[in-house]
Amino acid sequence: MPLPTDRPSLSLLPIPRSALMVALAASALLASHAHAQAGRKPSERKAAEAPAGAASKPVENSSMDGALFYQVLIAEIESNGGNAGPAYQLYLEAARRQHTTSQGSQLYQRAVEIALRARAGEQALAAAKAWRQAYPQSREASDYTAQILIALGRTNELAAPLRTLIQQTPAPQQPQVIAGLPRSLQRLPDKQAVARVVDDATQPWRQPPLELAEAWGASGEAWLGARQPDKVMAAAQRALTLKPQLPLAGLLAVDLMGVQSGAEDLVKAQLARPDAEPLVRLAYGRKLASLKRYEEAASQLDTLLASQPSQTGIWLTLAAVRMELGQLDKAEQALKPVLEAPPADTAVQEGGMPRMMSEANSSGLTEQQQAQILMAQIAEQRKQLPTALDWLGRADPDHQLMAIQNHRARILVRLGRVDEARATLRKLPETEPRDAAVKIQAEAQLLREAKRHKDAYEVLAEGVRRFPEDGDLLYDQAMMADRLGRHDEMERLLRKALTLNADNANALNALGYSLADRGVRLDEARSLIDRALTLRPGDPYITDSLGWVMFRAGQTDDALRTLKEAYAKRADPEIGAHIGEVLWQMGRKEEALQYFRESRQGDPENEALVETLKRLKIRL
């Protein structure tokens, strides 16, 4: 029976070549050879048996009896003929009869392999379970059972075979096997269940006398995936008590920074040790950068590079941090080792880099290409746009990569070369259907930035004609219709997008905000925004919409509190403009001006901010 399509394919499981098959082949050859010899005359047999100079070797007869031999032979014939069902049954029956011999284990394994090749997960599991029951000390039986259960998503049965697997692993290798458990289960979608499995499987090694720091580390990593920071913290602390230098525990503590008080102290304590792993310091530096503690991040990266100057990936991260600090000369200096290194074809790890760099990493660019992109960004910040174009040209000389060419096109727009920018995007190759839609969205974005809203609308309208079921294009066209004052059309397009996907949080939010902003159908607007917030809890932009509809409904105090909540999560100039307007209406004009000034500092050309200041006749 084929596996359900929404589960991992069993074909991903390793299917080792059966040792039994080798034995079978040898037995068959032996039998064939003996049969042929029996039909020859004595003189012929003698000549064949004694080649010149060859030493005679003892014949090793198969331990299979005749009945088993012919059952296995028929099973292999059935299997080779594509009849997996009969082959599976024959092997399984043979294995059950031979369960007191070493051959039985090999026969069970062969039955499992045949079921796996036929993508019959339930039959494979049944054979593996029977194998494990007949041979409870077999590590292979536990390994196969666990892997099949993982592939079938049966978390409630996983702990026992995993625990057996650990028990049957030699003691020196047990810490490594235990530490790898969370990663071996990472394909399973229910992270809470995974964490419970890891805890159940490792329970003997999380208490005396077998207690291991790695078992606590594995538990912490599993609960990290399940988003249970309290349990992660407790596991990390216990692991560090048992083994203060354990890198996994240090990495868990890094992940908890900003979430659990005291986590950073654990990291610092480990890094103060002479045997601290560079990996933990690198993770700490990147975490500091993600928390916008750039000076401290740079200090950690400098320390790391003092002992590992050849690590170009660290130089890249340091350059990105220096850029965030506005230290362009130091950023350029940090990029030199990367640019001067021999070209490599591997991408660096993510972490602690600006948005553009994160996108580039996911695109699989080499370190040198990423360094060239950073050089382009440095040139942009220095307002040396032609130099920036030159660096992007080096990063993508064939003009094939979407991320780089989109970046290049945006610089061309800033130079006033809009048509050239559009042509740049249109020339990009389309390797999959979605590429065309992405190119349309990128071109529309360019036109928006060039204030050519009508052209952007036309590009998106053409895109929707080509891809009428693309919800993202419908949404973008709706936003441009709103920008052009075509509110009825905007509403029609958003409702079409919601017909395609009723859980499209962006469309729900946009429609609700538009109604609220125009002060019409406020009850419906509130309902739409509430629905969007249910789908995406805590989203600062949807929270902003909620505050705005409250303001339009006259709930001023609630609106101010909600808008400030959104602003605390993301200091977006449009959210700041909304807070400023609410405060302005409440008569708290000094506070309002403070928000307006802060928003203008973030983006002086923000359209919502500019429109608000103009409408309220405020000059900053």
Side-chain angles (χ1 to χ4, degrees):
M1 182 175 65
L3 290 174
T5 55
D6 59 343
R7 288 175 175 164
S9 167
L10 286 176
S11 63
L12 296 175
L13 289 170
I15 303 176
R17 186 174 179 81
S18 170
L20 178 61
M21 286 303 299
V22 177
L24 283 170
S27 298
L29 285 171
L30 185 62
S32 174
H33 181 67
H35 178 75
Q37 294 285 43
R40 291 182 178 177
K41 295 177 181 178
S43 58
E44 294 173 330
R45 189 185 308 158
K46 185 177 181 181
E49 283 176 348
S56 63
K57 295 180 180 178
V59 175
E60 291 185 15
N61 290 322
S62 168
S63 59
M64 290 189 290
D65 59 24
L68 177 59
F69 176 83
Y70 283 108
Q71 187 167 2
V72 168
L73 182 62
I74 293 169
E76 283 304 315
I77 291 172
E78 293 283 7
S79 177
N80 290 333
N83 300 315
Y88 168 82
Q89 287 297 341
L90 285 166
Y91 267 114
L92 199 54
E93 289 170 9
R96 284 170 175 153
R97 285 202 305 276
Q98 299 290 325
H99 71 277
T100 58
T101 70
S102 60
Q103 290 174 335
S105 184
Q106 294 174 314
L107 293 165
Y108 274 121
Q109 181 173 339
R110 184 64 182 146
V112 172
E113 291 172 357
I114 287 173
L116 289 174
R117 284 176 179 157
R119 304 175 69 82
E122 294 297 339
Q123 286 88 341
L125 180 60
K129 283 181 173 179
W131 180 12
R132 186 165 169 264
Q133 186 175 13
Y135 297 86
Q137 300 306 313
S138 168
R139 192 177 189 281
E140 289 76 14
S142 294
D143 194 4
Y144 268 86
T145 305
Q147 291 197 54
I148 295 168
L149 286 169
I150 291 170
L152 293 173
R154 302 272 185 85
T155 52
N156 58 335
E157 301 175 55
L158 256 174
L162 288 176
R163 185 182 299 176
T164 303
L165 199 62
I166 299 168
Q167 288 168 334
Q168 292 167 344
T169 299
Q173 283 82 50
Q174 283 183 351
Q176 185 179 353
V177 172
I178 290 173
L181 275 185
R183 270 153 282 170
S184 68
L185 302 176
Q186 63 185 1
R187 288 184 300 167
L188 295 171
D190 186 344
K191 302 307 178 188
Q192 295 276 348
V194 166
R196 288 193 294 271
V197 167
V198 171
D199 271 4
D200 287 348
T202 63
Q203 193 270 341
W205 294 274
R206 286 187 295 110
Q207 62 185 18
L210 300 176
E211 191 172 17
L212 292 173
E214 287 80 1
W216 284 106
S219 174
E221 187 175 350
W223 285 112
L224 185 69
R227 299 179 185 276
Q228 294 282 337
D230 291 344
K231 293 187 175 182
V232 182
M233 186 69 176
Q237 287 173 321
R238 184 60 189 158
L240 287 168
T241 299
L242 294 168
K243 189 183 280 189
Q245 76 278 20
L246 185 70
L248 175 56
L251 293 172
L252 289 174
V254 169
D255 275 316
L256 291 175
M257 283 174 55
V259 179
Q260 285 281 315
S261 62
E264 187 169 2
D265 292 338
L266 297 179
V267 180
K268 287 180 176 177
Q270 188 174 75
L271 291 178
R273 296 177 56 86
D275 56 356
E277 283 284 341
L279 180 65
V280 178
R281 190 176 300 281
L282 178 59
Y284 182 47
R286 287 174 166 164
K287 186 69 176 183
L288 290 169
S290 72
L291 295 173
K292 300 187 177 181
R293 292 164 56 183
Y294 298 118
E295 290 284 5
E296 295 169 82
S299 174
Q300 291 297 326
L301 295 170
D302 280 336
T303 300
L304 203 53
L305 284 165
S307 60
Q308 298 188 321
S310 62
Q311 294 296 315
T312 48
I314 303 173
W315 284 112
L316 268 175
T317 305
L318 178 62
V321 170
R322 294 293 185 199
M323 284 182 66
E324 293 289 348
L325 289 167
Q327 300 168 346
L328 300 185
D329 291 344
K330 288 186 176 180
E332 186 173 359
Q333 193 69 25
L335 289 172
K336 279 189 176 179
V338 188
L339 294 168
E340 293 171 357
D345 58 357
T346 55
V348 297
Q349 301 171 22
E350 293 185 23
M353 295 188 179
R355 185 177 178 184
M356 178 68 190
M357 287 301 298
S358 296
E359 291 172 354
N361 286 347
S362 63
S363 300
L365 300 180
T366 65
E367 289 181 345
Q368 196 161 59
Q369 284 175 304
Q370 294 176 59
Q372 289 161 342
I373 293 170
L374 281 178
M375 287 298 294
Q377 291 177 333
I378 291 171
E380 272 190 274
Q381 291 191 30
R382 289 171 172 161
K383 302 189 185 307
Q384 298 169 348
L385 300 185
T387 303
L389 287 176
D390 179 61
W391 278 111
L392 292 176
R394 298 187 205 185
D396 181 22
D398 297 328
H399 296 187
Q400 299 285 308
L401 303 175
M402 180 69 194
I404 296 177
Q405 292 310 307
N406 192 26
H407 189 180
R408 181 170 174 270
R410 296 174 80 164
I411 294 176
L412 288 170
V413 168
R414 291 175 63 186
L415 288 167
R417 295 151 60 179
V418 179
D419 291 338
E420 187 179 348
R422 297 179 71 178
T424 295
L425 293 179
R426 292 190 172 195
K427 286 178 185 174
L428 278 169
E430 297 172 9
T431 56
E432 55 183 84
R434 180 65 191 158
D435 287 350
V438 171
K439 285 168 59 177
I440 290 167
Q441 288 178 297
E443 185 177 349
Q445 177 62 29
L446 285 183
L447 293 166
R448 271 198 293 267
E449 292 174 8
K451 311 293 184 190
R452 290 169 56 170
H453 296 146
K454 190 175 179 182
D455 288 338
Y457 174 85
E458 293 299 334
V459 166
L460 290 165
E462 175 59 27
V464 169
R465 280 192 285 275
R466 288 180 62 189
F467 306 102
E469 305 296 311
D470 192 310
D472 291 338
L473 287 176
L474 279 166
Y475 174 83
D476 286 352
Q477 189 188 2
M479 293 302 95
M480 288 315 304
D482 183 53
R483 187 64 57 90
L484 295 171
R486 303 173 184 174
H487 302 303
D488 291 343
E489 185 176 3
M490 179 207 70
E491 185 168 340
R492 178 184 65 77
L493 291 165
L494 289 177
R495 291 197 184 281
K496 184 177 178 182
L498 289 169
T499 301
L500 296 171
N501 177 15
D503 291 336
N504 187 330
N506 286 335
L508 288 164
N509 179 49
L511 184 53
Y513 177 80
S514 177
L515 295 175
D517 198 42
R518 287 180 282 141
V520 299
R521 290 145 54 195
L522 294 181
D523 289 342
E524 182 184 0
R526 176 64 184 262
S527 175
L528 290 163
I529 293 167
D530 283 345
R531 169 75 177 142
L533 207 50
T534 301
L535 293 167
R536 205 181 292 165
D539 184 290
Y541 295 111
I542 303 176
T543 304
D544 172 60
S545 297
L546 180 62
W548 201 235
V549 73
M550 288 173 170
F551 175 60
R552 292 300 196 199
Q555 302 163 356
T556 312
D557 291 337
D558 288 341
L560 182 60
R561 177 182 50 76
T562 304
L563 289 169
K564 284 187 174 181
E565 182 184 325
Y567 195 71
K569 292 177 180 172
R570 192 172 186 88
D572 184 89
E574 184 166 344
I575 302 175
H578 287 161
I579 296 174
E581 182 164 353
V582 173
L583 287 167
W584 191 266
Q585 182 167 307
M586 294 171 76
R588 296 160 60 176
K589 296 193 174 181
E590 282 303 318
E591 291 178 69
L593 289 172
Q594 183 180 342
Y595 275 97
F596 287 137
R597 290 192 185 103
E598 193 171 305
S599 297
R600 190 176 69 169
Q601 187 175 6
D603 181 6
E605 297 181 3
N606 181 273
E607 293 184 11
L609 175 65
V610 171
E611 186 277 328
T612 301
L613 293 175
K614 182 179 179 182
R615 179 164 41 79
L616 297 179
K617 299 179 180 176
I618 297 173
R619 299 187 66 179
L620 298 177

